[in-house]
Every structure is written in C-alpha cells, then in structure tokens.
Amino acid sequence: MAHYVQTELLSQGPGWSLTPLGAGQFGMDTALIRNTKHKYSHLYRDGVTDKATNTGAYFKQLRLRIRIGLLMSFIVPLAALSVYFHFQFNFTLKETAKLNLNVISESQRNTIDLFLQERVVNIFSLFHSVEFSLAPSIRNMQSYLQNLRRVSDAFIDVGFLDADGLQIGYAGPFPYLQNKNYANEEWFSDLMRQDRNHYISDIYLGFRNKPHFTIAVRQMIDGNPYVMRSTLDPDKFYMFLRTINRGKGVDSALINKAGAYQLVDPDRGKLFALSDFIPPGIKGSGVQEVNPNGHSILTAYAWLKEAPWALIVREPLNIAHAQIYRTRKIIISGSVLIIVLTAAAIWSTTSKLIGKAQAGAEKHQELQLQLLHAAKLASVGELATGVAHEINNPLAIIMASSGVIRDMMDPELKLDGSPEHIRKELDNVDAAVLRARGITRQLLDYGRKTPPQPVLCDLNQLLDEVMSGFKERELKVANIEIIRDYAPDLPKTLVDPDQIRQVFLNLINNAGAAIDGSGTISISTSSGERQIHVTVTDTGCGMTFDQIKKIFDPFFTTKQEGKGTGLGLSVSLSIIKSMGGTIDVQSMPGAGSAFTISLPINITQGVKDAGPHNPAQRP
C-alpha cells in the first residue's frame, strides 16, 4: 500500500533560500551535521512547536471546561424548565386554536349547506306552483324568476329543460339562452345519471362567459324527466359567506375537489386558481397548521354535504392569539435575560481567572523560547566550526594553484607557463571557490532568510527553465527519461521565482538521486478551482512510512552517508508554506515516490507580471 502524508509545516516565518548543496561533495563531516540535526530537531521542534501548541490548547480546553461546567450547573436547569413550559404552552395554544377553528368551520359548513338546501327547495317548489306548465310561456318563466328572487337575490335566471337537454323555457338577463341545448353540459349529464334528484355544479363560465354556478332539480312527470335549473351569482354567494365569518383575521373560501377556488377573497386568490392548501379526502373535517411564506396559519376544512366543495377557513396565529403571544414573549424575554446575565458573569469571571493563569504560563514559555533560540544559535555555531574546517580544503587548493602560477612565472624553475597551463590552474581555483561558496551558502540558508520578491509567474515556464541546459543533459547521461505533462491553460500565480525554482530543482535532484540506473521522472501540472498542483514523480527506490514521517525534519536524509545534508526538503517546505501552499507525498518501497506541490491561485491586482523569467536577475 502506498503511503500518503500531508505535510505539517514548521513555523519558520517567510523567506527564501537556495537549494542546500550536499555535504559529501566537499568532504564535510556528516557525523557533525547529524549530531547538530538531533540537537536542533529535538530542542526546537519539540520544545517550541509542541509546547506552544500544547500550552494554548491546554488553556483553551481548561477555559471551555470551566465555562461548560458552570453553565451546566446554573443555566441548563433554568433553560430546561423554560423550554419545557414553552413547548407545553405552544402545544396547549395550538390545540385550543385548532379546536376553536374546527368548530367555526363546521358551523359555517352547516350554514352553507342549509343555504344551498333552501335554494334547492325553492327551485323544486316551482314544479308545484299554480303557474307550472310543461310548455311554459315567457310570462310563466318570469313569474318563476320573481318567486325565486323574493327569497334570495342570488338567483340570476331560471330555465326549464326537457329530457333531451333543450331549454324550452327561460327567464333572465340572457334571452339568447332560450332553446339552448344543455345535453353536453357536465352538470346536465351528471344530474341525469345520478340517483339524487338535484345537482349543484362548480362555478363555470358556460354559454354566457361569466362566472356562475347552477342548481338543477329533476322531476319525473308522466314517466319523463324534466329539469328546472337556476344559476346563482357567485358575488351574492360570497357576500353571504362573509356575513357568517366569525373572528378577527378569519377568512373563508370554497374550493372544489381539484383545489380550484369557487369562492375566495380577491386579496387571497383568484377565481378558478388553485388553492395553496388542498384538504385530504372528500368528506369530513379537520385542522392543519401550514406555513406559507414563513407565517404560521391554522387552516380548517369541512366538506359540504350538498355540493362537492370544501370550506377552507384560515386564521393566523399571531392575530387570533396576540395577547397570549405578548405574555409568552414577556416570559421568554425574562428567561433569556436571566440566562444572558448569568452567562455573562460566568464568561467574565472565567476570562479573568484563566487569563491571569495563561499570562503566567506564556511568560514561562517565552523564557523557554529564548533558551531554545540560544540553543539554535549554539547549534549554528557548532555547525559553523565544522564548515570553517571544511573551507580549509578549497583554500588549500587555491593557495597551491596560486603557488604553481608563481612558479610558472619564475624563469629559473623553467616550468611550462603557457596560457593553457595557467588556465588549467585558474580552473582549479574557480572550482575551489564554488565549493567554498556552496558550503557558506548552506550555512546561511540554515541560519537566516531574506524577504521574498513575489511576482506573477507561469509555473510551466519556470519548470522548463529549471530543466533546460545542464540539468536535463545530466539526467539524460544518467539514462533517466524526463516526461513533461503540463496543463496548457495553467493560470499564473503570485510566487517568488527564485524560491520556487529552488523547490523544483530540489525535488528533481531528489528524484534523480532516488533512481539507481535507468528510470523515469514525470513532471506534471494541473489546476483546480482554487489551487495549482505541480507533481514530480520518479520510478526510484521509494520510501517506507517511517521515512516519510521524517523527510521534512531538518538534517534527515534518505541518501547514503556523505551524499546529502537533509536540509533540502526542510527548506523547500518552508518556502512552500510562506506561499500559502502544501507538499503532499505518496511513496511505496520499490515503486517510487510522488511529491505534489499545491499552491493557491493568488493573483493580486497591481502586481507586475514577471514576464519571461531570467534566473540571473536575482539581486
């Protein structure tokens, strides 16, 4: 199984540094570096990071525990009682409101049923009037309509139909309905099929193209069915519905089985529009609490017996129980005020006590940090002593080469003083100087850092700059293949170009060192919504889980003794951290390793674009 590690960054502050050169290249005493590594890593990492984290975490937990304990002792019982009475009050209030509203809806339903029954009886009575005739005249029909309007002004007209649905008599404001055939009308078909001898239709437009509803009754005369029907004005019916409303803020409406409004307040809905509440079933009554638009409303329903309609009665809780709500608010406000004052007193007291204790601990910790810093300086001094000893080697080479050049210039010694021989000695001097410079830079990188110079950079281009020239040829000679897989649309990000080159070079150097013989190094880039990812993968020896846990520690190295200082990944990690990124590691022994750098896509307006990068331009 491959090992995955998300790096934990050591707090080192911002900075940049060059890739540490291997101590083995200059014959450095690697035992000295290892001893310094153990001193510094234990003193600094464990002494500073762990203690600082543990101290802050300890007082944070202590403060939290004390506060929770006091709050639990004083506030929780009071809060529990308040919550209990609050829910009990709400439950009782809602049940009372539901019961009251259900009584209102059933009472209004019975009143509406009685109104419709009276209208049915009014129409039936026309069959038994003195003027009734199977071939009614216009005068007869007008007399029928006058009789109906005497009992209710909701009647609009009256019509008499034979068994075929032909309206053979009519009186009302729409004379063109005389001799209209209603055989295909839904209300006529239902009346002729059903057992009940009267029918109340839904509100519809019909031939007159105006909202109305029909009450029709069927009477058998000489074995043939005849129908007397009358249409009623919904506005008159609605006014009747409003007269039986009870309670402030209570409104009523009638809907059919499909939920379409039959009668409704214009402020609540439109005729024929669908209601936002459709009651269950087709009979009975009930109450439900609904929350349209976040407002609690009790909605009662009661199905009519005379028509396939449901009466919907709504009552907002905040109107029906305003006084009770005000009392409840006073109780809740008082409870909350007591809880807040108690919590504030606990919060203030614990903050003062724990603050004093934490200040003492932080002062003690500050003294420890000073001691650890002194230990770091001592370790730097110890490392500098060894480095100074190692610098003697290149100095000796420089002195020897300069002596040879002097001898070449002495005619008595008769040495070959040709430019070629002098250039050869000068090359030895240059090599020794570079070796000495590498040792001193390694020491400086460990001891201090310089501020970064961030600019907008193209990471694909920086990777090519790192790989171009000598490095790529060196890997090619070592029979190591380089595979590039760059994202073509990789966005630019704000980084220090020299620092990020150093990180890339260090990862590529490590990948090459991990490959024994031929192999492959793959370099890929990609971008997500907020991050850019650069992955360096090798087919080298890989690492164990224990090695992965330590690779970012200063002076830890997986290379052979004398081949590296163990500072490369530690410095790289510090650089990536200063840029707000992370380094992820995936490795398995014998299968190679993959290092993934994740950097935020950080583009700040007003920052100059780096353009084509030139590593030599760093001051």
Side-chain angles (χ1 to χ4, degrees):
M1 176 180 291
H3 305 298
Y4 298 87
V5 171
Q6 176 81 27
T7 61
E8 297 294 336
L9 305 180
L10 188 64
S11 178
Q12 298 178 359
W16 71 278
S17 58
L18 299 174
T19 304
L21 302 177
Q25 292 176 307
F26 310 117
M28 291 184 64
D29 187 358
T30 54
L32 174 62
I33 294 180
R34 287 198 303 274
N35 292 336
T36 306
K37 169 196 71 174
H38 291 303
K39 284 185 179 181
Y40 177 69
S41 63
H42 288 296
L43 285 174
Y44 187 79
R45 185 180 66 251
D46 298 335
V48 178
T49 305
D50 293 345
K51 287 187 178 180
T53 303
N54 292 340
T55 301
Y58 169 76
F59 281 101
K60 184 178 180 180
Q61 292 179 359
L62 179 62
R63 183 182 291 106
L64 181 63
R65 289 173 182 173
I66 292 177
R67 286 172 175 171
I68 290 177
L70 293 175
L71 290 174
M72 292 286 289
S73 301
F74 291 97
I75 295 179
V76 170
L78 178 61
L81 288 174
S82 299
V83 170
Y84 172 76
F85 285 116
H86 172 73
F87 281 106
Q88 282 294 108
F89 182 83
N90 276 351
F91 177 78
T92 303
L93 177 63
K94 290 179 180 180
E95 290 302 313
T96 302
K98 288 180 179 179
L99 181 61
N100 180 61
L101 197 62
N102 192 49
V103 171
I104 292 176
S105 66
E106 290 183 347
S107 175
Q108 290 186 2
R109 184 267 313 274
N110 294 336
T111 302
I112 294 173
D113 275 336
L114 180 60
F115 174 84
L116 294 175
Q117 289 172 2
E118 289 176 350
R119 305 292 80 78
V120 170
V121 171
N122 295 150
I123 298 173
F124 259 120
S125 65
L126 298 179
F127 282 105
H128 307 286
S129 64
V130 178
E131 298 90 351
F132 178 75
S133 171
L134 293 179
S137 63
I138 295 177
R139 180 176 295 180
N140 293 139
M141 298 303 300
Q142 289 176 346
S143 176
Y144 296 161
L145 181 58
Q146 289 175 359
N147 292 336
L148 293 176
R149 286 182 173 174
R150 287 192 189 100
V151 294
S152 175
D153 61 354
F155 288 107
I156 297 175
D157 60 7
V158 65
F160 183 64
L161 292 79
D162 60 16
D164 297 326
L166 183 64
Q167 187 162 261
I168 57 180
Y170 176 81
F174 307 101
Y176 59 86
L177 295 179
Q178 177 74 24
N179 297 321
K180 280 287 185 181
N181 194 324
Y182 287 84
N184 295 325
E185 290 296 306
E186 181 179 359
W187 65 264
F188 183 82
S189 301
D190 291 344
L191 175 63
M192 300 304 287
R193 287 196 304 266
Q194 68 183 19
D195 294 334
R196 198 163 66 167
N197 59 2
H198 69 275
Y199 181 84
I200 301 175
S201 72
D202 286 345
I203 293 179
Y204 65 105
L205 298 178
F207 293 123
R208 65 195 69 183
N209 200 28
K210 292 186 64 176
H212 63 283
F213 69 99
T214 297
I215 298 179
V217 298
R218 185 184 69 234
Q219 179 72 42
M220 299 297 295
I221 302 176
D222 297 332
N224 295 316
Y226 289 89
V227 175
M228 188 74 71
R229 66 113 192 128
S230 179
T231 57
L232 279 75
D233 187 353
D235 293 335
K236 301 293 185 180
F237 193 16
Y238 173 70
M239 295 304 297
F240 168 77
L241 183 62
R242 292 195 61 176
T243 60
I244 62 175
N245 276 343
R246 290 186 297 173
K248 180 181 179 181
V250 177
D251 65 86
S252 303
L254 288 174
I255 64 174
N256 61 13
K257 294 180 180 179
Y261 283 121
Q262 303 299 295
L263 292 178
V264 65
D265 190 317
D267 295 333
R268 177 177 170 182
K270 295 182 179 180
L271 199 64
F272 306 130
L274 289 179
S275 170
D276 54 5
F277 172 76
I278 300 178
I282 56 173
K283 61 181 180 179
S285 62
V287 181
Q288 294 184 12
E289 183 176 343
V290 296
N291 294 277
N293 302 322
H295 301 289
S296 296
I297 296 177
L298 284 182
T299 303
Y301 67 91
W303 287 96
L304 274 62
K305 298 178 182 179
E306 292 299 323
W309 299 340
L311 174 67
I312 305 297
V313 181
R314 306 197 318 170
E315 183 179 27
L317 288 177
N318 59 343
I319 295 178
H321 306 282
Q323 183 61 40
I324 301 178
Y325 275 132
R326 282 194 291 269
T327 304
R328 186 181 68 174
K329 288 180 179 179
I330 293 173
I331 296 174
I332 294 176
S333 299
S335 300
V336 170
L337 180 61
I338 294 174
I339 293 174
V340 169
L341 292 176
T342 305
I346 293 173
W347 200 274
S348 176
T349 303
T350 54
S351 294
K352 292 179 179 179
L353 294 176
I354 301 301
K356 291 180 179 180
Q358 187 172 358
E362 289 175 349
K363 185 175 181 180
H364 176 70
Q365 182 181 340
E366 183 179 356
L367 295 175
Q368 285 184 321
L369 292 176
Q370 294 177 0
L371 178 62
L372 293 173
H373 183 64
K376 177 183 177 181
L377 294 179
S379 65
V380 171
E382 184 178 349
L383 183 60
T385 302
V387 171
H389 174 73
E390 294 301 324
I391 290 179
N392 285 333
N393 292 331
L395 290 178
I397 295 174
I398 294 172
M399 182 175 292
S401 297
S402 64
V404 171
I405 294 174
R406 287 192 185 92
D407 291 342
M408 288 180 180
M409 299 175 64
D410 189 348
E412 295 181 358
L413 296 179
K414 298 181 180 180
L415 296 177
D416 186 359
S418 63
E420 289 77 9
H421 285 80
I422 294 176
R423 187 177 296 109
K424 181 178 180 182
E425 295 301 326
L426 291 176
D427 289 341
N428 292 335
V429 173
D430 291 341
V433 170
L434 291 175
R435 289 162 58 189
R437 185 179 67 179
I439 296 171
T440 56
R441 283 190 176 180
Q442 180 177 328
L443 181 62
L444 291 174
D445 290 342
Y446 175 67
R448 64 177 176 83
K449 295 180 180 179
T450 57
Q453 299 178 6
V455 292
L456 292 178
C457 296
D458 183 350
L459 297 189
N460 288 342
Q461 184 177 351
L462 288 176
L463 284 167
D464 282 336
E465 291 175 2
V466 171
M467 290 304 304
S468 63
F470 175 77
K471 190 60 191 176
E472 190 167 13
R473 291 195 299 269
E474 176 187 347
L475 294 173
K476 186 175 182 181
V477 170
N479 203 19
I480 297 176
E481 181 185 1
I482 302 297
I483 298 177
R484 294 179 174 86
D485 183 15
Y486 297 162
D489 55 348
L490 194 70
K492 291 185 177 182
T493 189
L494 194 64
V495 295
D496 181 274
D498 282 353
Q499 286 186 342
I500 202 68
R501 284 193 200 96
Q502 175 187 343
V503 175
F504 292 160
L505 182 59
N506 186 70
L507 294 183
I508 294 170
N509 284 337
N510 289 346
I515 298 174
D516 186 11
S518 61
T520 301
I521 297 177
S522 300
I523 305 173
S524 63
T525 61
S526 62
S527 63
E529 183 178 352
R530 297 183 178 179
Q531 286 188 321
I532 296 175
H533 307 286
V534 179
T535 302
V536 178
T537 306
D538 64 70
T539 58
C541 58
M543 294 178 288
T544 65
F545 183 71
D546 291 336
Q547 289 175 326
I548 294 177
K549 291 191 296 183
K550 300 177 182 179
I551 57 175
F552 292 101
D553 292 347
F555 303 108
F556 177 81
T557 179
T558 60
K559 300 175 183 178
Q560 297 179 0
E561 188 172 338
K563 296 293 186 180
T565 63
L567 292 176
L569 286 177
S570 177
V571 172
S572 297
L573 180 59
S574 176
I575 291 173
I576 295 302
K577 175 194 172 182
S578 69
M579 297 177 183
T582 59
I583 301 179
D584 300 323
V585 184
Q586 176 184 355
S587 186
M588 186 169 62
S593 304
F595 286 76
T596 300
I597 298 172
S598 299
L599 292 171
I601 300 177
N602 184 14
I603 300 178
T604 304
Q605 293 183 355
V607 177
K608 184 178 180 181
D609 195 321
H613 306 294
N614 185 357
Q617 291 179 353
R618 179 92 187 194

